[in-house]
Coordinates of all heavy atoms in Angstrom, one line a residue:
M15 N -2.0 76.2 20.5 CA -1.9 75.0 19.6 C -3.0 75.3 18.6 O -4.1 75.7 18.7 CB -2.5 73.8 20.5 CG -2.6 72.5 19.8 SD -3.0 71.3 20.9 CE -3.9 70.2 19.7
K16 N -2.5 75.0 17.3 CA -3.2 75.2 16.2 C -3.7 73.9 15.6 O -3.0 72.9 15.5 CB -2.4 76.0 15.1 CG -3.1 76.3 13.8 CD -2.2 77.1 12.9 CE -3.0 77.4 11.6 NZ -2.1 77.9 10.6
L17 N -5.1 73.8 15.4 CA -5.6 72.6 14.8 C -5.6 72.7 13.3 O -6.0 73.7 12.7 CB -7.0 72.4 15.3 CG -7.3 71.9 16.7 CD1 -8.7 72.0 17.1 CD2 -6.6 70.7 17.1
T18 N -5.0 71.7 12.7 CA -5.2 71.5 11.3 C -6.5 70.9 10.9 O -7.1 70.4 11.7 CB -4.0 70.6 10.7 OG1 -4.2 69.3 11.2 CG2 -2.7 71.1 11.1
S19 N -6.9 71.0 9.7 CA -8.1 70.5 9.2 C -8.2 69.0 9.4 O -9.3 68.5 9.7 CB -8.4 70.9 7.7 OG -7.4 70.3 7.0
T20 N -7.1 68.3 9.4 CA -7.1 66.8 9.6 C -7.3 66.5 11.0 O -8.1 65.6 11.3 CB -5.8 66.2 9.1 OG1 -5.5 66.6 7.7 CG2 -5.7 64.7 9.1
A21 N -6.7 67.4 11.8 CA -6.8 67.1 13.3 C -8.3 67.5 13.8 O -8.7 66.9 14.7 CB -5.9 67.9 14.0
A22 N -8.9 68.5 13.2 CA -10.2 68.7 13.5 C -11.3 67.9 13.0 O -12.4 67.9 13.5 CB -10.5 70.2 13.0
L23 N -11.0 67.0 12.0 CA -12.0 66.2 11.3 C -12.7 65.3 12.4 O -13.9 65.3 12.4 CB -11.4 65.3 10.3 CG -12.3 64.3 9.6 CD1 -13.4 65.1 8.8 CD2 -11.5 63.4 8.6
P24 N -12.1 64.6 13.4 CA -12.7 63.7 14.3 C -13.7 64.4 15.1 O -14.8 64.1 15.5 CB -11.7 63.1 15.1 CG -10.5 63.2 14.3 CD -10.6 64.4 13.5
F25 N -13.4 65.7 15.5 CA -14.2 66.5 16.4 C -15.4 67.0 15.6 O -16.5 67.1 16.2 CB -13.4 67.8 17.0 CG -12.2 67.3 17.9 CD1 -10.9 67.5 17.4 CD2 -12.5 66.7 19.1 CE1 -9.8 67.0 18.2 CE2 -11.3 66.3 19.8 CZ -10.1 66.5 19.4
T26 N -15.1 67.4 14.4 CA -16.3 67.7 13.6 C -17.3 66.6 13.3 O -18.5 66.8 13.3 CB -15.7 68.2 12.2 OG1 -14.8 69.3 12.4 CG2 -16.9 68.7 11.3
L27 N -16.7 65.4 13.1 CA -17.5 64.2 12.9 C -18.4 63.9 14.2 O -19.6 63.7 14.1 CB -16.6 63.0 12.6 CG -17.4 61.6 12.5 CD1 -18.3 61.6 11.4 CD2 -16.3 60.5 12.4
A28 N -17.8 64.0 15.4 CA -18.5 63.8 16.6 C -19.6 64.8 16.8 O -20.7 64.4 17.2 CB -17.4 63.8 17.8
A29 N -19.3 66.1 16.5 CA -20.2 67.1 16.6 C -21.4 66.9 15.7 O -22.6 67.0 16.1 CB -19.7 68.5 16.3
M30 N -21.1 66.3 14.4 CA -22.2 66.2 13.4 C -23.2 65.1 14.0 O -24.4 65.1 13.8 CB -21.6 65.9 12.1 CG -21.0 67.1 11.4 SD -20.2 66.7 9.9 CE -21.2 65.6 9.0
L31 N -22.5 63.9 14.5 CA -23.3 62.8 15.0 C -24.2 63.2 16.1 O -25.4 62.9 16.2 CB -22.5 61.7 15.4 CG -21.8 61.0 14.2 CD1 -20.7 59.9 14.8 CD2 -22.8 60.2 13.4
L32 N -23.7 64.0 17.0 CA -24.4 64.5 18.1 C -25.6 65.5 17.8 O -26.6 65.4 18.3 CB -23.5 65.2 19.2 CG -22.5 64.3 20.0 CD1 -21.6 65.0 20.9 CD2 -23.3 63.2 20.7
L33 N -25.3 66.3 16.7 CA -26.3 67.3 16.3 C -27.4 66.4 15.7 O -28.6 66.7 15.8 CB -25.6 68.2 15.3 CG -26.6 69.2 14.6 CD1 -27.2 70.1 15.8 CD2 -25.9 70.1 13.6
A34 N -27.0 65.4 14.8 CA -28.0 64.6 14.2 C -28.9 63.8 15.1 O -30.1 63.7 15.0 CB -27.3 63.6 13.2
A35 N -28.2 63.5 16.3 CA -29.0 62.7 17.3 C -30.0 63.7 17.9 O -31.2 63.3 18.2 CB -28.0 62.2 18.4
G36 N -29.8 64.9 18.2 CA -30.6 65.8 18.7 C -31.7 66.3 17.8 O -32.8 66.3 18.2
C37 N -31.4 66.4 16.5 CA -32.4 66.8 15.5 C -33.4 65.7 15.2 O -34.5 66.0 14.8 CB -31.8 67.3 14.3 SG -30.7 68.8 14.5
S38 N -33.0 64.5 15.3 CA -33.9 63.4 14.8 C -34.9 63.1 15.9 O -35.8 62.4 15.6 CB -33.0 62.2 14.6 OG -32.5 61.8 15.8
S39 N -34.7 63.7 17.1 CA -35.8 63.3 18.1 C -37.1 64.1 18.0 O -38.0 63.9 18.7 CB -35.1 63.6 19.5 OG -34.8 65.0 19.7
T40 N -37.1 65.1 17.0 CA -38.3 65.8 16.9 C -39.3 65.0 16.2 O -39.0 64.7 15.0 CB -38.0 67.2 16.1 OG1 -37.5 66.9 14.9 CG2 -37.2 68.1 16.9
G41 N -40.4 64.7 16.7 CA -41.4 63.9 16.1 C -42.8 64.4 16.4 O -43.0 64.9 17.5
R42 N -43.8 63.9 15.7 CA -45.2 64.2 16.0 C -45.8 63.1 16.5 O -45.5 61.9 16.1 CB -45.8 64.8 14.6 CG -45.2 66.0 14.1 CD -45.8 66.4 12.8 NE -44.9 67.2 12.1 CZ -44.7 67.1 10.8 NH1 -45.2 66.1 10.1 NH2 -43.8 67.9 10.1
S43 N -46.8 63.3 17.3 CA -47.5 62.2 17.8 C -48.6 61.7 16.9 O -49.1 62.5 16.0 CB -48.2 62.5 19.1 OG -49.1 63.6 19.0
L44 N -48.9 60.4 16.9 CA -49.9 59.9 15.9 C -51.3 60.0 16.6 O -51.6 59.4 17.5 CB -49.5 58.4 15.7 CG -50.3 57.7 14.7 CD1 -50.3 58.3 13.3 CD2 -49.9 56.2 14.6
D45 N -52.1 60.8 15.9 CA -53.5 60.9 16.4 C -54.3 60.7 15.1 O -54.7 61.6 14.3 CB -53.7 62.4 16.9 CG -55.1 62.5 17.4 OD1 -55.8 61.5 17.5 OD2 -55.4 63.7 17.6
P46 N -54.8 59.4 14.8 CA -55.7 59.1 13.7 C -57.0 59.8 13.7 O -57.5 60.1 12.5 CB -56.0 57.6 13.9 CG -55.0 57.1 14.9 CD -54.6 58.3 15.6
A47 N -57.5 60.4 14.8 CA -58.7 61.1 14.8 C -58.7 62.4 14.1 O -59.6 62.9 13.5 CB -59.3 61.3 16.3
K48 N -57.5 63.0 14.1 CA -57.3 64.3 13.5 C -57.5 64.2 12.0 O -57.9 65.1 11.3 CB -56.0 65.0 13.9 CG -54.8 64.5 13.2 CD -53.6 65.2 13.7 CE -52.4 64.6 12.8 NZ -51.1 65.4 13.3
Y49 N -57.2 63.1 11.4 CA -57.3 62.8 10.0 C -58.7 62.7 9.6 O -59.0 63.1 8.4 CB -56.4 61.7 9.5 CG -55.1 61.6 9.8 CD1 -54.4 60.8 10.6 CD2 -54.3 62.8 9.4 CE1 -53.1 60.9 11.0 CE2 -52.9 62.9 9.7 CZ -52.3 61.9 10.4 OH -51.0 62.1 10.8
D50 N -59.5 62.3 10.4 CA -61.0 62.2 10.1 C -61.6 63.6 9.9 O -62.7 63.7 9.2 CB -61.7 61.5 11.1 CG -61.4 59.9 11.1 OD1 -60.9 59.4 10.1 OD2 -61.5 59.3 12.2
K51 N -61.1 64.6 10.4 CA -61.6 66.0 10.3 C -60.9 66.6 9.1 O -61.4 67.9 8.8 CB -61.3 66.8 11.5 CG -61.9 66.1 12.8 CD -61.4 66.9 14.1 CE -62.1 66.0 15.3 NZ -61.5 66.6 16.5
M52 N -60.1 66.1 8.4 CA -59.3 66.8 7.4 C -60.1 66.7 5.9 O -60.8 65.7 5.8 CB -57.9 66.3 7.2 CG -57.1 66.6 8.3 SD -55.4 65.8 8.0 CE -54.4 67.2 7.9
T53 N -60.0 67.6 5.0 CA -60.5 67.5 3.8 C -59.6 66.6 2.9 O -58.5 66.3 3.3 CB -60.6 68.9 3.2 OG1 -59.3 69.5 2.9 CG2 -61.4 69.9 3.9
C54 N -60.1 66.3 1.8 CA -59.3 65.4 0.8 C -58.0 66.0 0.4 O -57.0 65.4 0.4 CB -60.1 64.9 -0.4 SG -61.4 63.9 0.1
T55 N -58.0 67.4 0.2 CA -56.9 68.1 -0.2 C -55.9 68.2 0.9 O -54.7 68.0 0.8 CB -57.3 69.6 -0.5 OG1 -58.3 69.5 -1.5 CG2 -56.1 70.4 -1.0
E56 N -56.4 68.3 2.2 CA -55.5 68.4 3.3 C -54.8 67.0 3.6 O -53.7 66.8 4.0 CB -56.2 68.7 4.6 CG -56.6 70.3 4.6 CD -57.5 70.7 5.8 OE1 -58.3 69.7 6.3 OE2 -57.5 71.8 6.1
L57 N -55.6 65.9 3.3 CA -55.2 64.6 3.5 C -54.1 64.3 2.4 O -53.0 63.6 2.7 CB -56.2 63.5 3.3 CG -57.2 63.5 4.6 CD1 -58.4 62.6 4.3 CD2 -56.5 62.9 5.8
N58 N -54.3 64.7 1.1 CA -53.4 64.5 0.1 C -52.0 65.3 0.5 O -50.8 64.8 0.3 CB -53.9 65.0 -1.3 CG -55.0 64.1 -1.8 OD1 -55.0 63.0 -1.4 ND2 -55.8 64.6 -2.6
S59 N -52.1 66.4 1.0 CA -51.0 67.2 1.4 C -50.2 66.5 2.5 O -48.9 66.4 2.5 CB -51.4 68.6 1.7 OG -50.3 69.4 2.2
A60 N -50.9 66.1 3.5 CA -50.4 65.4 4.6 C -49.7 64.1 4.2 O -48.5 63.9 4.7 CB -51.4 65.1 5.8
L61 N -50.2 63.4 3.3 CA -49.5 62.2 2.8 C -48.2 62.6 2.1 O -47.2 61.8 2.3 CB -50.6 61.6 1.9 CG -50.1 60.2 1.3 CD1 -50.0 59.2 2.6 CD2 -51.2 59.6 0.4
G62 N -48.2 63.6 1.3 CA -47.0 64.2 0.6 C -46.0 64.5 1.6 O -44.7 64.2 1.4
D63 N -46.4 65.2 2.5 CA -45.4 65.7 3.6 C -44.8 64.5 4.3 O -43.6 64.5 4.6 CB -46.2 66.7 4.6 CG -46.6 68.0 4.0 OD1 -46.0 68.4 2.9 OD2 -47.3 68.6 4.6
T64 N -45.7 63.6 4.6 CA -45.2 62.4 5.4 C -44.2 61.5 4.4 O -43.1 61.1 4.9 CB -46.4 61.4 5.8 OG1 -47.2 62.2 6.5 CG2 -45.8 60.2 6.6
A65 N -44.5 61.4 3.2 CA -43.6 60.6 2.2 C -42.3 61.5 2.2 O -41.2 60.8 2.1 CB -44.3 60.6 0.9
S66 N -42.3 62.9 2.1 CA -41.0 63.5 2.1 C -40.3 63.3 3.4 O -39.0 63.2 3.3 CB -41.3 65.1 2.0 OG -42.0 65.2 0.6
D67 N -41.0 63.4 4.5 CA -40.2 63.1 5.8 C -39.6 61.8 5.8 O -38.5 61.6 6.3 CB -41.2 63.3 7.0 CG -41.7 64.8 7.2 OD1 -41.0 65.7 6.5 OD2 -42.6 65.0 7.9
I68 N -40.3 60.7 5.3 CA -39.8 59.4 5.3 C -38.5 59.4 4.4 O -37.4 58.9 4.8 CB -40.8 58.3 4.8 CG1 -41.9 58.1 5.8 CG2 -40.0 57.1 4.5 CD1 -43.0 57.3 5.4
S69 N -38.6 60.1 3.2 CA -37.4 60.0 2.4 C -36.2 60.8 3.0 O -35.1 60.3 2.9 CB -37.8 60.7 1.0 OG -38.8 60.0 0.3
Q70 N -36.6 61.9 3.5 CA -35.4 62.7 4.2 C -34.8 62.0 5.3 O -33.6 61.9 5.5 CB -35.9 64.1 4.6 CG -34.8 65.0 5.0 CD -33.7 65.2 3.9 OE1 -34.1 65.6 2.8 NE2 -32.4 65.1 4.3
T71 N -35.6 61.3 6.1 CA -35.0 60.5 7.2 C -34.2 59.3 6.7 O -33.2 59.1 7.4 CB -36.3 60.1 8.2 OG1 -37.0 61.3 8.6 CG2 -35.8 59.4 9.4
S72 N -34.7 58.8 5.7 CA -34.0 57.6 5.2 C -32.7 58.0 4.7 O -31.6 57.3 4.9 CB -34.8 56.9 4.1 OG -36.0 56.3 4.5
I73 N -32.6 59.2 4.0 CA -31.3 59.7 3.5 C -30.5 60.0 4.7 O -29.2 59.6 4.7 CB -31.6 61.0 2.7 CG1 -32.3 60.6 1.3 CG2 -30.3 61.7 2.4 CD1 -32.7 61.8 0.5
T74 N -30.9 60.6 5.7 CA -30.1 60.9 6.9 C -29.6 59.6 7.6 O -28.4 59.5 7.9 CB -30.9 61.7 7.9 OG1 -31.3 62.9 7.3 CG2 -30.1 62.1 9.1
R75 N -30.4 58.6 7.7 CA -30.0 57.4 8.3 C -29.0 56.7 7.5 O -28.0 56.1 8.0 CB -31.3 56.4 8.4 CG -30.9 55.1 9.0 CD -32.0 54.2 9.1 NE -32.6 53.9 7.7 CZ -33.5 53.1 7.4 NH1 -34.3 52.5 8.4 NH2 -33.9 52.9 6.3
G76 N -29.1 56.7 6.1 CA -28.1 56.1 5.3 C -26.6 56.9 5.4 O -25.6 56.3 5.5
K77 N -26.8 58.2 5.6 CA -25.5 59.1 5.8 C -24.8 58.6 7.1 O -23.6 58.5 7.1 CB -25.7 60.5 5.6 CG -26.0 61.0 4.3 CD -26.4 62.4 4.3 CE -26.6 63.0 2.8 NZ -26.9 64.4 2.9
V78 N -25.6 58.5 8.1 CA -25.1 58.2 9.4 C -24.5 56.8 9.4 O -23.4 56.5 9.9 CB -26.2 58.3 10.5 CG1 -25.8 57.7 11.9 CG2 -26.5 59.7 10.7
A79 N -25.3 55.8 8.8 CA -24.9 54.4 8.7 C -23.6 54.2 8.0 O -22.8 53.4 8.3 CB -25.9 53.6 8.2
N80 N -23.3 55.1 6.9 CA -22.1 54.9 6.1 C -21.0 55.8 6.6 O -19.9 55.9 6.0 CB -22.5 55.3 4.7 CG -23.3 54.2 4.0 OD1 -23.2 53.2 4.3 ND2 -24.2 54.8 3.2
T81 N -21.2 56.6 7.7 CA -20.1 57.4 8.3 C -19.1 56.5 8.7 O -19.2 55.5 9.5 CB -20.7 58.3 9.3 OG1 -21.6 59.2 8.8 CG2 -19.6 59.1 9.9
S82 N -17.7 56.8 8.4 CA -16.6 56.1 9.0 C -16.2 56.7 10.2 O -15.7 57.9 10.3 CB -15.5 56.0 7.9 OG -14.4 55.4 8.4
V83 N -16.3 56.0 11.3 CA -15.9 56.5 12.7 C -14.6 55.9 13.0 O -14.4 54.7 13.0 CB -16.9 56.1 13.8 CG1 -16.4 56.6 15.1 CG2 -18.3 56.6 13.3
P84 N -13.5 56.7 13.3 CA -12.1 56.2 13.7 C -12.3 55.4 14.9 O -13.0 55.7 15.8 CB -11.3 57.5 13.9 CG -12.2 58.6 13.6 CD -13.6 58.2 13.3
G85 N -11.5 54.3 15.0 CA -11.5 53.4 16.1 C -11.2 54.0 17.4 O -11.5 53.7 18.5
W86 N -10.3 55.1 17.3 CA -9.7 55.7 18.5 C -10.8 56.7 19.1 O -10.5 57.2 20.2 CB -8.4 56.5 18.3 CG -8.4 57.4 17.1 CD1 -8.2 57.2 15.9 CD2 -8.9 58.8 17.3 NE1 -8.4 58.3 15.2 CE2 -8.7 59.3 16.0 CE3 -9.3 59.6 18.3 CZ2 -9.1 60.7 15.8 CZ3 -9.7 60.9 18.0 CH2 -9.5 61.5 16.8
L87 N -11.7 57.1 18.4 CA -12.8 58.0 18.9 C -13.8 57.3 19.9 O -14.7 56.5 19.4 CB -13.5 58.7 17.8 CG -14.6 59.7 18.1 CD1 -14.0 60.9 18.8 CD2 -15.3 60.2 16.8
L88 N -13.6 57.3 21.1 CA -14.3 56.5 22.1 C -15.8 56.9 22.0 O -16.2 58.1 22.0 CB -13.8 56.8 23.5 CG -12.3 56.4 23.8 CD1 -11.9 56.8 25.1 CD2 -12.1 54.9 23.5
G89 N -16.6 55.9 21.8 CA -18.1 56.0 21.9 C -18.6 56.4 20.5 O -19.8 56.6 20.4
G90 N -17.7 56.7 19.5 CA -18.3 57.1 18.3 C -19.1 56.1 17.5 O -20.2 56.4 17.0
S91 N -18.8 54.8 17.6 CA -19.5 53.7 17.0 C -20.9 53.7 17.7 O -21.9 53.4 17.1 CB -18.9 52.4 17.0 OG -17.7 52.4 16.2
T92 N -20.9 53.7 19.1 CA -22.2 53.8 19.8 C -23.0 55.0 19.5 O -24.2 54.6 19.3 CB -21.9 53.8 21.4 OG1 -20.9 52.8 21.7 CG2 -23.0 53.7 22.2
V93 N -22.5 56.1 19.3 CA -23.3 57.2 18.9 C -23.9 56.9 17.5 O -25.1 57.3 17.3 CB -22.4 58.5 19.0 CG1 -23.3 59.6 18.4 CG2 -22.2 58.9 20.4
K94 N -23.0 56.5 16.7 CA -23.5 56.2 15.3 C -24.6 55.2 15.2 O -25.7 55.5 14.6 CB -22.3 55.7 14.5 CG -22.6 55.3 13.0 CD -21.4 54.8 12.5 CE -21.7 53.8 11.2 NZ -20.5 53.4 10.6
T95 N -24.6 54.2 16.1 CA -25.7 53.2 16.2 C -26.9 53.8 16.7 O -28.0 53.4 16.2 CB -25.1 51.9 16.9 OG1 -23.9 51.4 16.2 CG2 -26.2 50.9 17.0
A96 N -26.7 54.5 17.7 CA -27.9 55.1 18.4 C -28.5 56.1 17.5 O -29.8 56.0 17.5 CB -27.4 55.8 19.6
V97 N -27.9 56.9 16.8 CA -28.5 57.8 15.8 C -29.3 57.0 14.7 O -30.4 57.4 14.4 CB -27.4 58.8 15.2 CG1 -28.1 59.7 14.1 CG2 -26.9 59.6 16.3
A98 N -28.6 56.0 14.3 CA -29.2 55.2 13.2 C -30.5 54.5 13.6 O -31.5 54.5 13.0 CB -28.2 54.2 12.6
N99 N -30.4 54.0 14.9 CA -31.6 53.4 15.4 C -32.8 54.4 15.7 O -33.9 54.1 15.5 CB -31.2 52.7 16.8 CG -30.4 51.4 16.6 OD1 -30.4 50.9 15.4 ND2 -29.7 51.0 17.6
R100 N -32.4 55.6 16.1 CA -33.4 56.6 16.3 C -34.1 57.0 15.0 O -35.3 57.2 14.9 CB -32.8 57.9 17.0 CG -33.8 58.8 17.4 CD -33.1 60.0 18.0 NE -32.7 59.6 19.4 CZ -31.9 60.3 20.2 NH1 -31.5 61.5 19.8 NH2 -31.5 59.8 21.3
E101 N -33.2 57.0 13.9 CA -33.9 57.4 12.6 C -34.8 56.3 12.1 O -35.7 56.5 11.6 CB -32.6 57.7 11.6 CG -32.0 58.9 11.9 CD -32.7 60.2 11.9 OE1 -33.4 60.4 11.0 OE2 -32.4 61.0 12.8
T102 N -34.4 55.0 12.3 CA -35.2 53.8 12.0 C -36.5 53.9 12.8 O -37.6 53.7 12.2 CB -34.5 52.6 12.3 OG1 -33.3 52.5 11.6 CG2 -35.3 51.3 11.9
A103 N -36.6 54.2 14.0 CA -37.7 54.4 14.8 C -38.6 55.4 14.3 O -39.9 55.4 14.2 CB -37.4 54.6 16.2
R104 N -37.9 56.6 13.9 CA -38.7 57.8 13.3 C -39.4 57.3 12.0 O -40.6 57.7 11.7 CB -37.9 59.0 13.1 CG -38.7 60.2 12.5 CD -37.8 61.5 12.7 NE -38.7 62.5 12.3 CZ -38.5 63.3 11.2 NH1 -37.4 63.1 10.5 NH2 -39.3 64.3 11.0
I105 N -38.7 56.6 11.1 CA -39.2 56.1 9.9 C -40.5 55.2 10.2 O -41.5 55.3 9.4 CB -38.1 55.4 9.1 CG1 -37.1 56.4 8.5 CG2 -38.9 54.7 7.9 CD1 -35.9 55.8 7.9
E106 N -40.4 54.3 11.2 CA -41.5 53.4 11.5 C -42.7 54.2 12.0 O -43.8 54.0 11.5 CB -41.1 52.5 12.6 CG -40.0 51.4 11.9 CD -39.4 50.5 13.0 OE1 -39.7 50.8 14.2 OE2 -38.7 49.6 12.6
R107 N -42.4 55.3 12.8 CA -43.6 56.1 13.2 C -44.2 56.9 12.0 O -45.4 57.0 11.9 CB -43.1 57.2 14.2 CG -42.9 56.6 15.6 CD -42.6 57.7 16.7 NE -41.6 58.7 16.4 CZ -40.4 58.5 16.5 NH1 -39.9 57.4 17.2 NH2 -39.5 59.5 16.3
L108 N -43.3 57.4 11.1 CA -43.9 58.1 10.0 C -44.6 57.1 9.1 O -45.7 57.5 8.4 CB -42.8 58.7 9.1 CG -42.1 59.9 9.8 CD1 -40.8 60.3 9.1 CD2 -43.1 61.1 9.8
Q109 N -44.2 55.9 8.9 CA -45.0 54.9 8.1 C -46.4 54.6 8.7 O -47.3 54.4 8.0 CB -44.2 53.6 8.1 CG -43.0 53.8 7.0 CD -42.0 52.7 7.0 OE1 -42.0 51.9 7.9 NE2 -41.3 52.5 5.9
Q110 N -46.5 54.6 10.2 CA -47.7 54.3 10.7 C -48.6 55.5 10.5 O -49.8 55.4 10.3 CB -47.4 54.1 12.2 CG -46.8 52.8 12.7 CD -46.5 52.8 14.1 OE1 -46.7 53.7 14.8 NE2 -46.0 51.5 14.6
Q111 N -48.0 56.7 10.6 CA -48.8 57.9 10.3 C -49.3 57.8 8.9 O -50.5 58.2 8.6 CB -47.9 59.1 10.6 CG -48.5 60.4 10.4 CD -47.6 61.6 10.6 OE1 -46.5 61.3 11.1 NE2 -48.1 62.8 10.6
Q112 N -48.4 57.5 8.0 CA -48.9 57.3 6.5 C -50.0 56.5 6.3 O -51.0 56.7 5.6 CB -47.6 57.0 5.7 CG -47.8 57.2 4.2 CD -46.6 57.0 3.5 OE1 -45.8 56.0 3.9 NE2 -46.2 57.7 2.6
L113 N -50.0 55.3 7.0 CA -51.0 54.3 6.9 C -52.3 54.9 7.5 O -53.4 54.6 6.9 CB -50.7 53.0 7.7 CG -49.6 52.1 7.1 CD1 -49.2 51.0 7.9 CD2 -50.0 51.6 5.6
A114 N -52.3 55.7 8.5 CA -53.4 56.3 9.2 C -54.0 57.3 8.1 O -55.3 57.4 8.0 CB -53.2 57.0 10.5
I115 N -53.2 58.0 7.4 CA -53.6 59.0 6.4 C -54.3 58.4 5.3 O -55.3 58.7 4.8 CB -52.5 60.0 6.0 CG1 -52.0 60.8 7.2 CG2 -52.9 60.8 4.9 CD1 -50.7 61.5 6.9
V116 N -53.7 57.3 4.9 CA -54.2 56.4 3.7 C -55.6 55.9 4.0 O -56.6 56.0 3.3 CB -53.2 55.4 3.2 CG1 -54.0 54.5 2.3 CG2 -52.0 56.0 2.6
A117 N -55.8 55.4 5.2 CA -57.1 54.9 5.7 C -58.1 55.9 5.8 O -59.2 55.7 5.3 CB -56.9 54.1 7.1
A118 N -57.8 57.1 6.2 CA -58.8 58.2 6.3 C -59.0 58.6 4.9 O -60.2 59.0 4.7 CB -58.2 59.3 7.2
R119 N -58.2 58.7 4.1 CA -58.3 59.1 2.7 C -59.3 58.1 2.0 O -60.2 58.5 1.2 CB -57.0 59.2 2.0 CG -57.0 60.2 0.8 CD -55.6 60.3 0.4 NE -55.4 59.5 -0.8 CZ -54.4 59.4 -1.5 NH1 -53.4 60.2 -1.4 NH2 -54.4 58.6 -2.6
K120 N -59.1 56.8 2.2 CA -60.1 55.9 1.7 C -61.6 56.0 2.1 O -62.4 55.9 1.4 CB -59.6 54.5 1.9 CG -58.5 53.9 1.1 CD -58.2 52.5 1.5 CE -57.1 51.9 0.5 NZ -56.8 50.6 0.8
R121 N -61.7 56.4 3.4 CA -62.9 56.5 4.0 C -63.7 57.9 3.5 O -64.8 58.0 3.2 CB -62.9 56.7 5.5 CG -62.7 55.3 6.1 CD -62.9 55.4 7.7 NE -62.0 56.4 8.3 CZ -60.8 56.2 8.7 NH1 -60.3 55.0 8.7 NH2 -60.1 57.2 9.4
R122 N -62.8 58.9 3.4 CA -63.4 60.3 3.1 C -63.4 60.7 1.7 O -64.3 61.4 1.2 CB -62.6 61.3 3.9 CG -62.8 61.2 5.4 CD -62.3 62.3 6.1 NE -62.7 63.6 5.6 CZ -63.7 64.3 6.1 NH1 -64.4 63.9 7.1 NH2 -64.0 65.4 5.6
C123 N -62.5 60.2 0.9 CA -62.3 60.6 -0.5 C -62.6 59.5 -1.5 O -61.9 58.6 -1.5 CB -60.9 61.1 -0.8 SG -60.4 62.3 0.5
P124 N -63.7 59.6 -2.2 CA -64.2 58.5 -3.0 C -63.2 58.2 -4.2 O -63.2 57.2 -4.7 CB -65.6 58.9 -3.5 CG -65.7 60.3 -3.3 CD -64.7 60.6 -2.2
S125 N -62.6 59.3 -4.8 CA -61.7 59.1 -5.9 C -60.3 58.7 -5.6 O -59.4 58.5 -6.5 CB -61.7 60.4 -6.7 OG -61.1 61.4 -5.9
S126 N -60.0 58.5 -4.3 CA -58.6 58.2 -4.0 C -58.4 56.6 -4.1 O -59.1 55.8 -3.7 CB -58.3 58.5 -2.5 OG -58.4 60.0 -2.4

């Protein structure tokens, strides 16, 4: 049996959603004490990294949310919702991390 590109599309879509679900679970724990030991340059870099992570995660969440899942693909909508919710939770964790970095930066860096 030969699969055409149209027939393979749903399977590709399901694989992409499952892959996104697995990749989005990588997250760092929030430890505000570690920011108190960082220099101002390190805090600025960490703040930039966190902002980039938030932007990239938001883009991923948007792509997942706008993905059209065929009605006959059982569980496709559930996976789509789960992945979008996981990305939302990751954004919230990153925002908390960003707030901790900003607070540490205010304490340690007089020009910030």
